[in-house]
Amino acid sequence: MSAETIRMARPDGEGLARVVARLQDRFAERCQTGASIREQHGNTTTWLETLPPDAVVFAETAEEVSEIVRLCAEHRVPVIPFGTGTSLEGQVNAPHGGVSIDVSRMNRIVAVHAEDLDCVIEPGVTRKQLNEYLRDQGLFFPIDPGADASLGGMASTRASGTNAVRYGTMKDVVLSLKAVMPDGRIITTGTRAKKSSAGYDLTRLMIGAEGTLGIITELTLRLHGIPEAITAGVCPFETLEGACNAVIATIQSGIPVARIELLDEQQVKACNAYSKLDMAEAPTLLLEFHGSENGVREQAEMFGEIAAEFGGGGFEWARAPEDRTRLWQARHDAYWACVALRPGSKAVATDVCVPISRLAECITESRRDLDETGLFGPIVGHVGDGNFHVALLVNMDDPEEVAKAKAYMGRLVDRAIAMDGTCTGEHGIGHGKAKYLRAELGDAVDFMAMVKQAIDPLDIMNPGKIIRDVVGS
Amino acid sequence: MSAETIRMARPDGEGLARVVARLQDRFAERCQTGASIREQHGNTTTWLETLPPDAVVFAETAEEVSEIVRLCAEHRVPVIPFGTGTSLEGQVNAPHGGVSIDVSRMNRIVAVHAEDLDCVIEPGVTRKQLNEYLRDQGLFFPIDPGADASLGGMASTRASGTNAVRYGTMKDVVLSLKAVMPDGRIITTGTRAKKSSAGYDLTRLMIGAEGTLGIITELTLRLHGIPEAITAGVCPFETLEGACNAVIATIQSGIPVARIELLDEQQVKACNAYSKLDMAEAPTLLLEFHGSENGVREQAEMFGEIAAEFGGGGFEWARAPEDRTRLWQARHDAYWACVALRPGSKAVATDVCVPISRLAECITESRRDLDETGLFGPIVGHVGDGNFHVALLVNMDDPEEVAKAKAYMGRLVDRAIAMDGTCTGEHGIGHGKAKYLRAELGDAVDFMAMVKQAIDPLDIMNPGKIIRDVVGS
């Protein structure tokens, strides 16, 4: 079987109408069919077109999600899970219509087990909501994509962020999931034990599956104690290459850096303007160290020596919590800072990830390619992991510019794959990158398709994502 | 579909004979059918009976593995991968006969990328072989089950060991795998990028699948720099509970301990005798700290304060590399030390893992249960993760004692599951624990069965393991 053979039985108009009528009957005002709410739920913060679902249901419990899925399965109507709608590759759009299940009201923090450093939450809880809740207990949850995303969505796209270099990605911090499967059954994929060898790792199978195998309705997450000491710093470099090489040396020397983020010159200008900062307009690293007072001092000193070696200097330290918050909020707002640079354009944020030894080469080539193509795109990245983003600012009304940008994106992916990297470090495949998956993983994609077909034989769960189907591609 | 419906089409005698004849023809002396070599390959270091395969083939390349799998698939003959044969739940036995593919000769270290902190190896490389190879480059690989297991086998059982509390388990250190799938195709599940969101996590699906979905033929592994400073120590406690509570407090306080291992009094006696040590005969923690000189000192001081609070003391430090090696070799030999305690008995090593807040309670109850049942079984564990082992020393010729031990094992698993833990932290399910999987994970097992049936529709890959079939159960 080839992945391309998966093809959804499209809902007939009558079946769809019956499903929507029953949902309206059952959920009253919690089932919405107005154009604007449907469009918002099929929208995507990239250049993919908005593909709205036929209805949006605001679910409040796993049982309700199960009920909706069973009803949709009966009539082969697609089901698309929705958290905050901040995914970047069209994960929430509805190429075949269907029902968007919005879980944003499932936002209860079910339990915090401080003694075990874990918590149990519903999928609509956002990362900021969770951290505000945890702060009083001296705990934090480290995964932080730019947006204040929902944890269900973050698990579904295998998200990461600025802390991943030290604390890992969503695949590393989820102990167990509850999920509604395509037949409506609610399963639990693990326990609260820190490790297990009990059977297939369904937890990791669901993480990154983007709702194509089931809908996550509860997460058990690992937490960390807030470190005794935290120092953040800003370090400008003479060249982009120097900054990249300082990152490589830092990782290789084993400094347990908590965050090490690169902004290129364009991105620094964008952040200065948007977040009212006054960073030197040069390729810049933002850093953060976690540990004991002594440990943090030691790490910062070691990094300082490395930076000096690669043309870095003029360090600025942010020790006060409010300065640190301002710095990282600016980093998280990098996307919006880009958008503001060129009003009327769309910021198409893409990401790739390469082995760190190839990082300097990959970033400088990608920068040169941008400049030669005449495209405008700041570069920013979680470079400690070899992961970086290009935010292409594209005038969507100019077909030539759009074509140029699409071609650039393809070259970026090809370059990363040729360097033994991946077409996406943290944004996921969704609708937008399905065409690159086979170039990266070859026949492995067929085995993904077998798993998909076995678990979701009707192809009702977020169809057209990850595994590219014939109609939706 | 229920998991129990998976049933293998048994090979007819004629098909099997044809396969073996063709393998002998093709592989000459690398295909063995003598009783002793077959028995050794279907043996298991637990109380499960030896179930030998019909033939053993020593493969030397992924292409050869593929060739054997294709031939076996044609005749529906089972295929069982074999590394060092040190698994503990009957993962290598052959309940339905078939061909054991021994990959121990596939033991090449293909590449070490020191700058990226990763390496590429064949599945027959053992953990000691790898670390000896890496030492000169200042690198190490942290996962260390007691045995000098093969890395392919360690990935297949999602193994861990004494360093897991800091460095994770096999699921955390594998970047990518190559595997021969049931249809003979060789796939690659990932790249050398440190993180990726590209499609389903087939890497993690294969890790812990115990050869039931395919045979691992290459691994790309994350490595670490050898820390600047390492200190190990031995700390006896007044009570088992005090030792457990000291572990809990250590983890909760965020000390980045590299190893924290518990030996109960019986295990200390066994190790003293077997490894010629003179530890105080008391519940004891073995510890190791990794970091800078200052960092290690700080960690040790912090731990010392915690230990004192819970009745620990009389610390002994092992700073010299040779003393540390001796200490950890003794820990790794704990299994053999147990066997030596009661000559003629079999040591049945089992493991469970619970949330750390329940660790003291789970260990003390399990100790009391042992004493009340009149069974002899030292307790030893990777307690920083809530994972511990009971090594039951059983006279296999005494049916009453065997029955008692089996019943004890069931109660141990029930106890761990009731405490929101798992029936196995690191040994895997294999043949021995298949009966507990549904008690722990309920309907999730059905979805494992769907994955198994989709990827291996002929049920030729290590049948009877993890997913319990009707005949083999």
Side-chain angles (χ1 to χ4, degrees), chain B residues 12-36:
Chain B
D12 59 87
E14 211 181 305
L16 177 66
R18 206 171 304 139
V19 166
V20 174
R22 280 179 61 182
L23 290 172
Q24 283 175 317
D25 200 40
R26 164 69 177 83
F27 292 99
E29 80 290 348
R30 286 201 281 132
C31 176
Q32 296 279 329
T33 55
S36 76

Side-chain angles (χ1 to χ4, degrees), chain A residues 199-253:
Chain A
Y200 301 161
D201 192 344
L202 294 183
T203 308
R204 249 52 57 183
L205 184 63
M206 299 298 291
I207 294 172
E210 303 182 4
T212 63
L213 299 177
I215 299 180
I216 295 169
T217 54
E218 192 178 278
L219 303 92
T220 302
L221 302 172
R222 294 181 84 137
L223 303 174
H224 292 268
I226 294 174
E228 180 195 329
I230 303 178
T231 311
V234 178
C235 183
F237 282 77
E238 287 161 20
T239 63
L240 196 55
E241 210 177 347
C244 288
N245 285 327
V247 173
I248 296 172
T250 303
I251 299 302
Q252 283 168 7
S253 69

Side-chain angles (χ1 to χ4, degrees), chain A residues 115-116 252 292 298 357, chain B residues 115-116 252 292 298 357 446:
Chain A
E115 68 284 16
D116 291 315
Q252 283 168 7
S292 65
E298 202 171 66
S357 64
Chain B
E115 68 284 17
D116 292 315
Q252 283 167 9
S292 65
E298 202 172 64
S357 64
D446 293 339

Side-chain angles (χ1 to χ4, degrees), chain B residues 184-207:
Chain B
R185 278 193 284 174
I186 302 173
I187 65 165
T188 303
T189 62
T191 71
R192 289 207 299 115
K194 281 286 177 290
K195 64 184 195 188
S196 173
S197 288
Y200 302 160
D201 193 344
L202 294 183
T203 308
R204 251 52 57 183
L205 185 62
M206 298 299 290
I207 294 171

